[in-house]
């Protein structure tokens, strides 16, 4: 962390995209002192605040080489995200961050990347998709496995279908319930794992609800993927985002500082325990 | 390490210590009786201290009663530690202002505390202070409010001579005598105090007091007093290091027994000298043009503490009690190199249903099918 976590700065909304009825993306441009450029790694998050209401932790979904702006994709779940949904270009939010450890991008250069996401859990992985697609020759095969509960929960449908086939990228979608007009598979996202072949070059990055991540990890390990090539992103209550307030603790870890992205082997003893 | 100086301060000269601190510009905080308990508050001299009082502490109970020796410190700790003096229970972090053109500006709210002298700190609370320093002082951006309040402290410790029934500092290695982290430490006898320095600041002040050296009989009396206090302590932790001992038993059935008694009220975390959790919230001005962002002490026993949409991760009391105790005695080792418990026993006295985890630990550490 190289920015002061104890005071926010302002960011102006430059664009707002409605992704789904309750999901939208804000494109933000930092204001004020720009001598400290906003640099991040995919998988890191910001505390984004609405004056008078509070802050929420949001994953950064844009590409780190876009230096003039960054994007957050948000689902309306409470007061703060509800207020953000009503904001538009020219409005301001507060920003603290970026915080935490992101995905290992440099360290997985040249490898085949498998991304597995569930529900809104895809937000922290969208930045990885963007990153790999823009540096296509730096990486091997890219496979995206994405599951939603219900077909109406799927957003970025266009983006997913455009992505499919570009530079050998393969996208597999599934829905727990299926339904008329649904072209993807029906069933849990773990069923999609049969579509990939694990090699020594494979790295998997997983994000979603904890039971889904555990099931995914289990299947990938069965297929022969090594534990050290598995990465997960966790979600906890975040308030200070700098390892002081205690809310995000998972075992001995402050997820805001040691995560939210972890190598699976670092965190495996703390996963799957109810109420931890 | 500065060299230790020692001197004997007669009871009649105790005021001189307060006067010296005043001359040096300190606001002096010391124990006083308030609402039937002993708490830290601003004092002007020894007459404000709880002289001639004893405390009776048992699980779920705290009472004061008269005591004969006329000593100033014939009691163990009250509910407060140093924590509220440094980690403010409520603190403004920054103020946001919105200009007419919609631009936002932020100003941080730095406290400007007066240099503070605290008289009467016990060994357990000095250990807790060292732990808080590790937590709030870490990283390239230490907690600003804590750092400012911490900077100009003058700490006068007191060795414990009268332990409470709820104390277990001997087993945690933190008491009953002050070991480090103080400027001056007092050992109290009926006739006065044996004063020793623990820092250069303390040495200077001790020099100003120009005290006679202590007689060897006084040193001997204090040693006997300390040994007696030590051997009177019956409560203990099974081990100073329970790393992995609790984390490896998340499903032990005794967590349910604890949860059946625990009210999830958070009293234990409020009185614990090392609990550091806080929550942040906004307090908007009525005109809509500005808002305060503040923090308040929080507790892992509240539902909101672990909330992520759509429900708290620790919805049940057993998960909250398990989190609190496992964090305190187990995860702290990974986070800060030692247990987060300093044996002060406050969580036992101030628990409204009298939960005493020193009694529960052997059960939690035992085989699950053993009972």
């Amino acid at each position: 962390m190289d920015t002061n976590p104890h005071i926010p700065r302002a960011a102006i909304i430059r664009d707002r995209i409605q992704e789904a009825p309750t999901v939208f993306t804000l494109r933000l441009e930092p204001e004020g002192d720009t001598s400290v450029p906003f640099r991040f790694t995919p998988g890191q998050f910001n505390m984004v605040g609405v004056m008078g209401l509070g802050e929420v932790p949001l994953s950064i979904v844009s590409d780190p080489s876009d230096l003039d702006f960054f994007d957050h994709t948000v689902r309306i779940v409470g007061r703060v995200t509800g207020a953000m949904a009503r904001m538009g270009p020219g409005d301001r939010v507060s920003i603290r961050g970026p915080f935490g450890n992101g995905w290992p991008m440099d360290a997985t250069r040249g490898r085949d990347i498998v991304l597995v996401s569930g529900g809104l859990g895809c937000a922290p992985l969208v930045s990885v998709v963007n990153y790999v697609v823009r540096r296509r020759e730096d990486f091997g095969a890219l496979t995206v496995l994405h599951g939603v509960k219900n077909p109406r929960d799927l957003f970025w449908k266009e983006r997913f279908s455009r992505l499919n086939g570009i530079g050998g990228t393969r996208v597999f979608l599934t829905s727990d319930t299926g339904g008329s007009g649904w072209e993807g598979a029906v069933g849990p996202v773990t069923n999609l794992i049969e579509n990939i072949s694990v090699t020594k070059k494979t790295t998997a990055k997983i994000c979603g609800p904890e039971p889904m991540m555990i099931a995914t990890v289990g299947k990938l390990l069965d297929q022969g993927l090594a534990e050290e090539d598995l990465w997960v992103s966790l979600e906890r209550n975040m308030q200070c985002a700098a390892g002081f307030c205690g809310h995000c603790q998972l075992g001995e870890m402050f997820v805001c500082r040691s995560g939210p992205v972890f190598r699976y082997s670092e965190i495996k003893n703390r996963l799957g325990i109810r109420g931890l | 390490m500065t060299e230790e100086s020692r001197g004997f301060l007669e009871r009649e000269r105790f005021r001189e210590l307060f006067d010296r601190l005043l001359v040096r510009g300190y606001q002096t905080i010391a124990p006083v009786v308030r609402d039937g308990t002993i708490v830290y508050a601003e004092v002007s001299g020894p007459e404000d201290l709880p002289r001639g009082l004893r405390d009776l502490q048992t699980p779920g109970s705290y009472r004061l009663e008269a005591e004969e020796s006329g000593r100033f410190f014939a009691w163990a700790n009250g509910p407060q530690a140093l924590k509220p003096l440094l980690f403010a229970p409520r603190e403004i972090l920054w103020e946001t202002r919105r200009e007419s053109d919609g631009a936002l500006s932020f100003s941080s709210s730095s406290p400007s505390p007066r240099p503070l002298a605290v008289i009467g700190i016990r060994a357990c609370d000095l250990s807790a202070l060292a732990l808080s320093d590790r937590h709030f002082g870490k990283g390239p951006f230490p907690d600003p409010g804590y750092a400012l309040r911490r900077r100009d402290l003058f700490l006068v410790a007191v060795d414990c001579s009268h332990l409470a029934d709820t104390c277990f500092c001997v087993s945690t290695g933190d008491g009953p005598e002050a070991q480090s982290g103080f400027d001056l430490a007092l050992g109290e006898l009926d006739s006065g105090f044996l004063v020793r320095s623990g820092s250069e600041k303390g040495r200077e002040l001790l020099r100003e007091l120009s005290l006679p050296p202590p007689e060897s009989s006084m040193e001997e009396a204090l040693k006997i007093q300390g040994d007696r206090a030590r051997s009177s302590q019956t409560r203990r932790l099974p081990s100073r290091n329970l790393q992995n001992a609790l984390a490896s038993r998340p499903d032990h059935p005794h967590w349910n027994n604890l949860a059946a008694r625990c009210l999830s009220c958070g009293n234990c975390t409020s009185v614990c000298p090392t609990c550091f959790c806080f929550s942040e919230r906004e307090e908007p001005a009525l005109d809509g043009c500005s808002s305060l962002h503040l923090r308040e002490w929080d507790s892992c026993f509240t539902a909101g503490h672990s909330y992520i949409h759509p429900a708290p991760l620790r919805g049940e009391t057993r998960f909250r009690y398990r989190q609190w105790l496992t964090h305190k005695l187990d995860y702290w080792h990974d986070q800060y190199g030692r247990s987060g418990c300093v044996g002060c026993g406050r969580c036992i006295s101030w628990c409204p249903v009298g939960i005493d985890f020193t009694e529960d630990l052997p059960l939690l550490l035992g085989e699950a099918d053993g009972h």
Side-chain angles (χ1 to χ4, degrees):
Chain A
M1 192 198 315
D2 52 6
T3 52
N4 185 349
H6 300 299
I7 185 104
R9 49 186 160 162
I12 187 162
I13 298 173
R14 288 301 182 201
D15 200 5
R16 183 191 185 284
I17 301 154
Q18 193 72 38
E19 309 280 7
T22 61
V23 181
F24 58 97
T25 297
L26 297 179
R27 174 153 296 182
L28 302 172
E29 183 187 321
E31 288 190 312
D33 179 14
T34 46
S35 63
V36 185
F38 187 83
R39 294 281 161 78
F40 66 92
T41 314
Q44 283 191 296
F45 69 97
N46 282 325
M47 295 302 293
V48 185
V50 178
M51 191 185 95
L53 284 178
E55 298 181 313
V56 287
L58 295 174
S59 186
I60 309 164
V61 300
S62 50
D63 192 287
S65 60
D66 293 324
L67 298 179
D68 299 333
F69 64 86
F70 53 93
D71 294 348
H72 287 295
T73 294
V74 191
R75 183 165 57 138
I76 302 172
V77 293
R79 284 195 317 157
V80 178
T81 49
M84 276 178 196
R86 293 189 293 274
M87 298 174 102
D91 289 335
R92 267 95 166 187
V93 292
S94 69
I95 295 288
R96 290 189 297 126
F99 295 115
N101 292 319
W103 302 100
M105 300 314 301
D106 282 340
T108 55
R109 217 162 268 266
R111 298 184 62 82
D112 295 339
I113 308 293
V114 175
L115 306 180
V116 191
S117 54
L120 229 230
C122 61
L125 283 173
V126 168
S127 58
V128 180
V129 175
N130 291 337
Y131 189 94
V132 173
V133 167
R134 206 187 270 206
R135 297 159 187 80
R136 201 62 203 85
E137 64 287 357
D138 292 348
F139 291 87
L142 174 64
T143 311
V144 179
L145 312 180
H146 181 53
V148 290
K149 252 193 203 124
N150 192 292
R152 68 168 180 268
D153 298 334
L154 181 71
F155 52 94
W156 288 325
K157 195 177 173 186
E158 303 299 310
R159 226 180 289 185
F160 279 127
S161 55
R162 232 179 319 145
L163 198 60
N164 203 7
I166 297 179
T169 300
R170 299 191 303 155
V171 179
F172 298 92
L173 302 175
T174 186
S175 145
D176 289 346
T177 61
S180 62
W182 176 251
E183 292 161 8
V186 175
V189 72
T190 43
N191 288 359
L192 299 179
I193 289 171
E194 63 198 29
N195 292 301
I196 60 161
S197 45
V198 167
T199 70
K200 281 194 158 32
K201 274 182 65 191
T202 307
T203 293
K205 300 174 185 180
I206 310 166
C207 189
E210 204 174 297
M212 166 261 166
M213 292 200 284
I214 292 168
T216 303
V217 164
K219 284 230 175 182
L220 287 167
L221 291 174
D222 286 348
Q223 294 228 10
L225 194 67
E227 270 187 2
E228 57 267 31
D229 293 323
L230 276 164
W231 297 79
V232 296
S233 178
L234 302 184
E235 193 189 2
R236 308 292 281 190
N237 184 306
M238 307 268 182
Q239 307 221 2
C240 76
F244 294 107
C245 78
H247 287 264
C248 69
Q249 288 177 93
L250 171 64
E252 69 279 29
M253 276 157 296
F254 292 89
V255 171
C256 67
R257 282 191 310 157
S258 311
V261 174
F262 290 93
R263 196 190 282 267
Y264 170 70
S265 53
E266 263 182 277
I267 196 88
K268 61 175 179 179
N269 293 336
R270 305 285 182 238
L271 292 179
I273 301 171
R274 242 188 101 209
L276 204 68
Chain B
M1 195 69 192
T2 49
E3 203 189 319
E4 182 187 284
S5 325
R6 299 170 87 86
F8 180 70
L9 178 67
E10 295 172 69
R11 192 186 263 182
E12 289 65 34
R13 291 184 62 191
F14 193 22
R15 165 171 300 281
E16 291 177 34
L17 173 61
F18 294 75
D19 293 344
R20 281 287 149 201
L21 291 167
L22 189 67
V23 167
R24 289 180 162 234
Y26 288 105
Q27 177 185 8
T28 300
I29 300 282
V32 300
V33 175
R34 182 182 291 165
D35 300 332
T37 64
I38 295 173
V39 297
Y40 284 113
E42 186 165 4
V43 295
S44 45
E47 67 278 6
D48 295 332
L49 268 58
R51 192 173 176 188
L53 280 180
R54 264 235 67 171
D55 56 343
L56 287 177
Q57 300 194 48
T58 56
S61 163
Y62 178 100
R63 299 283 180 274
L64 293 176
E65 63 172 24
E67 182 266 354
E68 299 296 311
S69 74
R71 290 196 184 195
F72 288 93
F73 300 100
W75 44 274
N77 257 322
Q80 283 179 332
L82 290 169
K83 184 167 84 167
L85 298 175
L86 296 163
F87 168 34
R90 180 182 188 275
E91 177 161 25
I92 296 165
L93 299 179
W94 66 79
E95 181 180 9
T96 310
R97 297 201 67 81
R98 180 161 44 212
E99 309 306 329
S100 51
D101 63 355
L104 298 180
S105 61
F106 307 93
S107 48
S108 52
S109 171
S110 304
S112 42
R114 269 180 70 186
L116 210 63
V118 189
I119 297 176
I121 307 152
R122 305 311 175 92
C124 52
D125 289 342
L126 285 172
S127 291
L129 177 67
L131 282 173
S132 298
D133 287 347
R134 272 181 238 171
H135 176 70
F136 287 107
K138 73 192 167 194
F141 295 99
D143 188 82
Y146 184 93
L148 278 170
R149 294 189 186 89
R150 179 74 179 94
R151 203 176 48 196
D152 295 320
L153 278 185
F154 191 98
L155 302 172
V156 182
V158 175
D159 296 332
C160 283
S161 52
H162 295 63
L163 307 188
D165 179 44
T166 44
C167 295
F168 53 99
C169 60
V170 176
S171 70
T172 64
D174 296 297
E177 287 101 353
Q179 294 153 42
S180 62
F182 54 83
D183 296 301
L184 289 177
L186 312 177
E188 187 177 26
L189 296 168
D190 286 350
S191 53
F193 302 95
L194 202 151
V195 189
R196 59 188 192 276
S197 68
S199 72
E200 196 45 50
K201 268 196 300 195
R203 252 163 73 92
E204 276 172 34
L205 197 129
L206 197 51
R207 203 177 304 130
E208 288 175 18
L209 286 168
S210 56
L211 302 177
E215 292 165 21
S216 60
S217 61
M218 295 171 178
E219 307 259 15
E220 186 56 28
L222 271 178
K223 192 184 167 301
I224 292 168
Q225 181 170 293
D227 289 343
R228 193 175 298 144
R230 212 182 319 278
S231 58
S232 73
Q233 199 170 89
T234 53
R235 278 191 167 72
R236 53 183 291 276
L237 288 187
S239 162
R240 275 187 210 181
N241 188 345
L242 294 171
Q243 191 168 15
N244 287 324
L246 292 176
S248 59
R249 292 169 168 82
D251 298 318
H252 197 289
H254 193 65
W255 293 117
N256 295 325
N257 302 338
L258 275 161
R261 288 179 281 151
C262 174
L263 306 177
S264 207
C265 70
N267 264 21
C268 49
T269 60
S270 288
V271 295
C272 178
T274 67
C275 273
F276 54 67
C277 285
F278 60 85
S279 57
E280 298 189 12
R281 65 181 181 85
E282 290 269 312
E283 205 170 89
L286 286 174
D287 64 6
C289 295
S290 67
S291 180
L292 299 176
H293 189 87
L294 46 93
R295 74 172 175 203
E296 288 165 342
W297 285 7
D298 199 358
S299 167
C300 53
F301 284 93
T302 66
H305 189 275
S306 64
Y307 182 87
I308 50 170
H309 179 79
L313 292 172
R314 300 181 200 109
E316 297 168 31
T317 300
R318 69 185 160 122
F319 297 146
R320 298 181 199 166
Y321 199 95
R322 187 182 71 187
Q323 169 63 21
W324 178 64
L325 197 65
T326 310
H327 180 220
K328 189 71 58 190
L329 300 179
D330 186 329
Y331 303 144
W332 266 84
H333 287 275
D334 290 288
Q335 293 177 341
Y336 301 108
R338 61 154 287 177
S339 155
C341 177
V342 295
C344 73
R346 289 185 176 96
C347 58
I348 303 173
S349 300
W350 295 95
C351 174
V353 295
I355 294 178
D356 169 7
F357 71 63
T358 65
E359 283 181 3
D360 292 282
L361 275 170
L363 300 172
L364 284 166
L365 298 172
E367 289 305 315
D369 54 8
H371 51 101

